[in-house]
Amino acid sequence: MMYPPDSGNTGDSGALVAELQAQLYRYAEDLYVLMSEHDELQQRYRALDRSYRSISDYRDLLTTLMYSASEAYLSTSSGRITSATRSAAVLFGSDELVGQNLRGLIAAESLAAFDEMQGEISAGDNVRSGGGRLIGLVNASGEVVEALVWIIDDFSVGAEAEQLHWLVRPMIQDRIHIYDRDQSRQELGGEAVFYADGNGRLLVVNDSFCRISGYQPEECLGQPMRILKSGIQGEHFYRMFWEALKGNGSWQGEIVNRRKSGELYPEWLSVAGSRDSNGKIVGYFGKFHDLSRLHESEGHLSKLAYYDVLTGLPNRHLFQDRLKMAISQARRSNTQMGLFFIDLDRFKQVNDTLGHDVGDELLKVVAQRLASVTREMDTVARLGGDEFTVILPNLSHERDAHAIAAKILEVFQPPVQVGTHLLFPSPSIGIALFPSHGTDEATLIRRADMAMYHAKGDGGNAFRVFEMDDEGDTRVFSLESAFRQALDRGELYLVYQPQLSADGQTLHGVEALLRWRSPDFGDVSPNVFIPIAEWSGAIVDIGRWVIRTACAQMAAWREAGCHVERVAVNISPRQLRDANFTALVIEELEHSGLPAEALELEITESELMLYPESTLMKLDELRKRGLSIAIDDFGTGYSNLARLRTLPVDRIKVDRSFVQDLEHDGDAQAISTCIVTMAKVMKLDVVAEGVETAGQLRHLVDQGCTSVQGFLFAQPMLPASIENWIGLLTTQTGETNVA
Amino acid sequence: MRKILIVDDQPDIRRLIHLTLGKRYEIHEASNAADALLLAAEQKPDAVILDVMMPGDLNGMDVLQRIRADAELKGTFVVMVTAKGQQADFESAIDAGADGYLIKPFSPLQLMSLLQEHFGS
């Protein structure tokens, strides 16, 4: 490859810059296209994964039905039994089946059907695709046992039909309730499976059937299928339904049924008849799943006036139904049940200052987030305004409710982008439990609401469980109140993660990461406490502490002869907005005696793109003094690369989500190639975050990425471990290889 | 590795294309028509990305005509690149035997797929 000398173009350099800028814009557009395709693909994969899981769930259940222990296998040669399974011996009540003529064990009234089956073989029909025949078998006590019989393989097609293999499944005599073996499957929205006899009476149901219909096994077994009828489908529908069953032998489609609670719900139903030798239907296999949560049925459901139009969540009406149902279920099954009341902090301000459209968009995101962390069996409802509730049936312990509340707090933490606005929603959650806080709907609702107001009064972004003793001793589960004291109590500390050259030989710097170990809550994820610090305002003091501590640590390392070139600290939007930010950073640097070059400030992409000029001026001023600026989480925000060119930036960090997908996702590869390429053109350094495997590293090196951070080389470490680690690195490479 | 010759007087644009394609192809660069012809004769590139507007006696169109007239080079895949609004260039480039045509600012994805389609990926 050769690079001819530049032609020393003296033309209109302004036009050239504009042309280049336009070209960079174009790259940014392509990047955006790639990223949205990437997003869409990921969603499709997830949907596929879900549907696959529901199919395999169904297969498992059907397998349980089909291959129950009572099923028997026999082989015959010229009509005589040559081998039989143990279960066949049980079925026929005889240990001496081998050698007997199978025809001799068939009840007189079924002989014609039995002969016909063998006749079909002679005629060369493909028996395996056919359904079983209902045949009467005579057991050792002379009783006739009805069984479905298949010929499962015919190795010698033709009149002789020497070798035949038989599958014999006795008709279901007893009513069976099948337990879903895997509880988590059930939560994924398992498929209901049932078997009814020729009169339409339910003989077999599984857990999902009970969950969806709201009936306990003992309540529905033996009952006619029509207990599920909603009355929505007219006579005409049922005529078609039965005609299809008689004709094709099966029917499937969407129908509306009624739960025990009286609530209507749409389901996708498949039914197939099983017939006897005369073609008479003797039973029905069926399966269905509840469609009421599926997006596809939204239009259908709004007709039923049970759903909130804005968010698609159940409305107050359905909430009351479900709460009633959950209470009676909990009472029957002797379990606990939880009720959450959730209110958004400062939502009114959003509506008042940014308008209802922005408020509505925010509510939609909130609804999605709530739905994403609750279990399948839980009900998330919107009562109106910014009031949400969650019904948690079937809790085995109060702490299960805490865990779900904590998950809700966590999932709320990422900011929400609505148009050009970046919003930081936070919830206040009140919790009441059945039966300890109330045994009827009204009491539970009142107490959950009361607890919610207490949580809000404590500053919000917290959950609180209702406490019976109102006089005092209210237990407050407020992360925020604990966090307020974390800095003073010395519960915060920094860990450092090395950033290295792609060959792992040279240390480029370290990133300081904030950690909180709370005596009450244990190790709390930064994803949870940083946003608390952010909106409570504590971030300003904490941010300053981080800068001071990181600088002091750098100075201490250098003092000890352990040279670390650079430390990066994360800066939040709130800190940057502080008018004294620049002065404060300079003061801390001077205090530590470190040169400005040793400090880098990391700012996330989405925030940087939204800053006003005045904020950027602060960064520019710091940069002129020698500090470096890095863009964090690059690739996840609005990638206006043309704007990027105008920002005071030295380095971009490729977001870990792209790095993670590098090995198996062409889109992620294209995106990271694009980012690295752009960075090179703009003469920016690139650090890839979250590098965990050699495969990812190989891709990054191919793309021209020179600096990496991640578990592959080093995890975040306490200061003393960093010293040891650098010592090892130096020994391995034989020299102090810092750049 | 297939060889691509990038001809553009603007070093930044050359560099951008170089970075876009450099992982897949062997890249050669020329900043003017004369260098382009010399390099093409020497390297026998599989494809040429050719800017129409270039300072000097010869422009991109001249380079294209000479490539098509050269017994050894006439089969070379040539993609012409030019600024917006030069519709006339588009027609004359097709007449002169260009295989592809991009308008600045061009889509890098389109450039990549043009080449991949031609080379059969």
Side-chain angles (χ1 to χ4, degrees):
Chain A
M1 278 191 252
M2 67 176 290
Y3 294 85
D6 295 340
S7 56
N9 195 309
T10 51
D12 182 3
S13 65
L16 289 184
V17 168
E19 186 188 334
L20 181 63
Q21 205 147 28
Q23 187 58 58
L24 288 172
Y25 258 120
R26 199 63 194 75
Y27 267 75
E29 275 170 36
D30 275 14
L31 181 57
Y32 182 75
V33 168
L34 282 173
M35 291 200 304
S36 43
E37 277 174 4
H38 174 74
D39 226 44
E40 202 175 294
L41 260 178
Q42 292 244 307
Q43 279 171 13
R44 279 222 300 272
Y45 285 146
R46 261 178 242 134
L48 258 175
D49 186 44
R50 268 199 303 274
S51 65
Y52 171 75
R53 272 192 276 191
S54 102
I55 289 168
S56 63
D57 190 22
Y58 162 61
R59 283 202 185 122
D60 271 14
L61 292 166
L62 205 63
T63 308
T64 316
L65 269 178
M66 297 285 290
Y67 298 92
S68 58
S70 59
E71 181 180 276
Y73 286 92
L74 296 164
S75 299
T76 57
S77 177
S78 304
R80 281 191 188 281
I81 297 173
T82 52
S83 64
T85 56
R86 176 77 203 132
S87 47
V90 173
L91 175 64
F92 287 97
S94 160
D95 281 335
E96 288 148 16
L97 283 175
V98 174
Q100 290 201 52
N101 194 322
L102 180 59
R103 200 170 183 280
L105 299 171
I106 304 299
E109 64 270 25
S110 294
L111 279 174
F114 180 80
D115 291 339
E116 200 180 309
M117 272 180 98
Q118 285 183 303
E120 281 164 4
I121 303 253
S122 315
D125 283 3
N126 185 354
V127 262
R128 269 190 287 183
S129 67
R133 297 291 193 97
L134 190 70
I135 305 270
L137 308 173
V138 183
N139 70 12
S141 333
E143 292 161 353
V144 174
V145 180
E146 297 263 279
L148 280 169
V149 176
W150 287 265
I151 296 175
I152 49 174
D153 221 331
D154 51 320
F155 295 121
S156 52
V157 177
E160 300 81 15
E162 289 280 298
Q163 278 275 343
L164 289 177
H165 302 274
W166 305 79
L167 164 63
V168 180
R169 191 158 48 74
M171 283 303 287
I172 295 153
Q173 307 285 325
D174 303 317
R175 293 163 187 170
I176 307 174
H177 169 222
I178 299 170
Y179 293 92
D180 292 354
R181 276 160 297 176
D182 186 346
Q183 186 75 13
S184 68
R185 284 238 176 89
Q186 202 191 103
E187 287 167 16
L188 284 165
E191 203 138 12
V193 174
F194 64 89
Y195 180 78
D197 67 17
N199 298 319
R201 284 180 191 283
L202 293 164
L203 293 180
V204 181
V205 296
N206 69 345
D207 275 338
S208 295
F209 181 99
C210 296
R211 183 172 45 79
I212 295 172
S213 69
Y215 289 96
Q216 294 295 306
E218 60 275 14
E219 292 172 328
C220 57
L221 286 171
Q223 296 297 314
M225 284 191 284
R226 65 167 178 276
I227 57 169
L228 304 175
K229 257 171 93 166
S230 64
I232 293 268
Q233 285 86 205
E235 222 187 291
H236 177 69
F237 167 82
Y238 284 103
R239 204 178 308 128
M240 275 175 39
F241 176 82
W242 290 113
E243 262 166 28
L245 270 186
K246 280 175 197 149
N248 312 328
S250 68
W251 184 88
Q252 63 175 345
E254 187 175 337
I255 68 167
V256 175
N257 268 346
R258 186 185 294 278
R259 294 188 224 273
K260 190 191 169 200
S261 64
E263 184 203 332
L264 303 176
Y265 67 99
E267 65 177 23
W268 185 262
L269 173 70
S270 311
V271 189
S274 88
R275 295 154 188 272
D276 69 10
S277 49
N278 301 316
K280 185 175 161 248
I281 291 182
V282 293
Y284 304 95
F285 278 106
K287 63 191 170 96
F288 59 84
H289 53 256
D290 190 341
L291 293 177
S292 54
R293 294 212 172 188
L294 282 190
H295 177 73
E296 287 89 344
S297 325
E298 228 174 52
H300 189 78
L301 290 162
S302 58
K303 274 191 287 184
L304 303 177
Y306 272 129
Y307 288 80
D308 173 45
V309 180
L310 178 68
T311 59
L313 292 177
N315 62 12
R316 184 180 289 274
H317 201 60
L318 185 47
F319 158 73
Q320 274 161 347
D321 267 12
R322 297 248 172 113
L323 181 60
K324 205 178 294 177
M325 200 164 83
I327 290 174
S328 61
Q329 244 172 34
R331 190 172 283 134
R332 264 202 314 272
S333 56
N334 247 337
T335 54
Q336 298 193 65
M337 182 237 118
L339 176 63
F340 288 8
F341 260 58
I342 303 170
D343 205 282
L344 296 184
D345 304 327
R346 295 172 308 280
F347 178 72
K348 194 174 171 300
Q349 275 158 266
V350 173
N351 256 350
D352 290 350
T353 56
L354 304 175
H356 287 281
D357 289 349
V358 173
D360 283 356
E361 284 308 308
L362 177 61
L363 290 175
K364 280 194 217 169
V365 174
V366 164
Q368 282 161 9
R369 288 187 180 178
L370 282 174
S372 72
V373 288
T374 46
R375 304 165 302 172
E376 183 72 33
M377 67 178 92
D378 301 336
T379 297
V380 179
R382 178 178 172 230
L383 301 188
D386 60 331
E387 277 184 0
F388 293 87
T389 64
V390 183
I391 303 169
L392 305 141
N394 219 345
L395 291 176
S396 42
H397 200 279
E398 186 179 319
R399 66 170 170 266
D400 296 347
H402 298 184
I404 293 171
K407 268 204 283 180
I408 292 176
L409 290 180
E410 186 161 352
V411 79
F412 263 79
Q413 299 312 338
V416 178
Q417 178 100 42
V418 179
T420 57
H421 305 287
L422 200 62
L423 308 171
F424 295 86
S426 66
S428 294
I429 307 172
I431 303 176
L433 299 166
F434 170 96
S436 40
H437 304 145
T439 52
D440 63 283
E441 298 149 57
T443 311
L444 283 172
I445 289 175
R446 199 176 64 245
R447 293 187 162 166
D449 201 27
M450 206 182 282
M452 189 266 290
Y453 274 101
H454 279 288
K456 200 181 261 304
D458 292 334
N461 201 34
F463 66 86
R464 223 197 81 149
V465 180
F466 176 79
E467 190 55 41
M468 287 300 266
D469 183 6
D470 266 336
E471 275 72 60
D473 187 33
T474 42
R475 272 191 296 163
V476 178
F477 290 85
S478 169
L479 268 178
E480 197 219 335
S481 53
F483 184 69
R484 271 194 212 124
Q485 293 152 345
L487 186 58
D488 292 339
R489 289 184 181 172
E491 292 163 15
L492 299 180
Y493 60 100
L494 294 180
V495 290
Y496 300 86
Q497 187 169 34
Q499 298 174 340
L500 295 124
S501 60
D503 61 5
Q505 303 286 307
T506 310
L507 180 68
H508 288 166
V510 295
E511 179 184 359
L513 299 160
L514 185 61
R515 294 286 185 264
W516 175 29
R517 178 161 294 169
S518 154
D520 300 323
F521 292 91
D523 289 319
V524 182
S525 158
N527 294 334
V528 171
F529 72 76
I530 295 285
I532 296 179
E534 182 79 35
W535 70 258
S536 68
I539 196 76
V540 177
D541 288 341
I542 291 170
R544 181 172 188 151
W545 176 84
V546 169
I547 295 172
R548 180 185 306 159
T549 310
C551 287
Q553 186 59 57
M554 283 287 279
W557 276 329
R558 290 187 177 194
E559 186 99 335
C562 171
H563 187 89
V564 179
E565 186 63 23
R566 187 179 73 221
V567 66
V569 296
N570 292 280
I571 302 297
S572 93
R574 182 81 174 241
Q575 274 174 285
L576 260 182
R577 278 199 297 271
D578 185 8
N580 296 322
F581 180 70
T582 317
L584 180 154
V585 171
I586 292 164
E587 193 188 316
E588 293 299 344
L589 258 178
E590 281 171 357
H591 182 77
S592 69
L594 277 184
E597 289 73 21
L599 183 61
E600 174 164 286
L601 308 180
E602 284 193 12
I603 292 135
T604 62
E605 183 200 14
S606 49
E607 285 151 6
L608 193 56
M609 292 296 173
L610 294 168
Y611 281 134
E613 286 302 316
S614 58
T615 310
L616 299 176
M617 301 274 282
K618 291 182 197 163
L619 292 178
D620 207 31
E621 188 188 334
L622 287 169
R623 198 161 162 255
K624 287 196 178 106
R625 286 183 178 255
L627 277 90
S628 51
I629 310 289
I631 303 186
D632 209 1
D633 304 337
F634 192 83
T636 57
Y638 276 108
S639 299
N640 184 334
L641 295 175
R643 171 106 201 255
L644 183 60
R645 271 175 70 79
T646 67
L647 296 174
V649 165
D650 304 271
R651 192 168 287 110
I652 60 184
K653 301 187 76 180
V654 181
D655 188 65
R656 59 182 63 241
S657 61
F658 299 118
V659 175
Q660 265 159 18
D661 291 344
L662 271 179
E663 283 172 284
H664 33 75
D665 183 338
D667 289 342
Q669 284 170 24
I671 291 167
S672 86
T673 305
C674 214
I675 293 173
V676 174
T677 306
M678 298 297 307
K680 278 189 182 166
V681 172
M682 296 183 204
K683 303 193 171 62
L684 300 174
D685 281 350
V686 182
V687 182
E689 285 179 285
V691 181
E692 286 172 4
T693 70
Q696 292 163 354
L697 181 67
R698 205 160 41 242
H699 278 287
L700 289 164
V701 170
D702 281 352
Q703 289 161 358
C705 182
T706 50
S707 200
V708 295
Q709 178 179 343
F711 275 59
L712 179 64
F713 289 122
Q715 61 196 46
M717 290 175 268
L718 289 166
S721 313
I722 282 278
E723 268 172 62
N724 291 336
W725 185 85
I726 291 175
L728 277 174
L729 186 75
T730 317
T731 331
Q732 275 167 7
T733 56
E735 55 183 271
T736 314
N737 224 353
V738 282
Chain B
M1 213 183 224
R2 295 187 195 274
K3 291 181 189 173
I4 310 276
L5 172 61
I6 302 169
V7 188
D8 196 312
D9 57 311
Q10 244 196 292
D12 279 338
I13 297 286
R14 283 205 308 274
R15 185 151 171 67
L16 204 53
I17 302 177
H18 188 140
L19 288 164
T20 309
L21 304 175
K23 207 183 137 191
R24 252 175 240 248
Y25 307 104
E26 181 182 323
I27 306 292
H28 298 266
E29 294 182 28
S31 61
N32 57 58
D35 285 353
L37 288 168
L38 278 175
L39 259 179
E42 181 190 309
Q43 293 293 338
K44 311 272 185 298
D46 297 282
V48 181
I49 317 291
L50 188 52
D51 189 27
V52 175
M53 307 269 281
M54 278 186 292
D57 299 335
L58 301 176
N59 67 16
M61 213 61 80
D62 301 315
V63 175
L64 172 63
Q65 271 156 10
R66 296 195 187 193
I67 285 174
R68 290 294 179 244
D70 185 303
E72 273 195 287
L73 295 176
K74 63 183 178 196
T76 310
F77 186 73
V78 179
V79 179
M80 302 297 285
V81 184
T82 193
K84 226 178 229 164
Q86 310 284 332
Q87 193 59 30
D89 285 349
F90 173 77
E91 279 146 31
S92 45
I94 297 299
D95 288 346
D99 297 294
Y101 199 88
L102 292 173
I103 292 171
K104 280 182 186 172
F106 61 87
S107 152
L109 289 177
Q110 206 181 341
L111 172 60
M112 284 190 269
S113 64
L114 261 177
L115 293 172
Q116 275 171 27
E117 267 166 40
H118 172 66
F119 293 133
S121 200

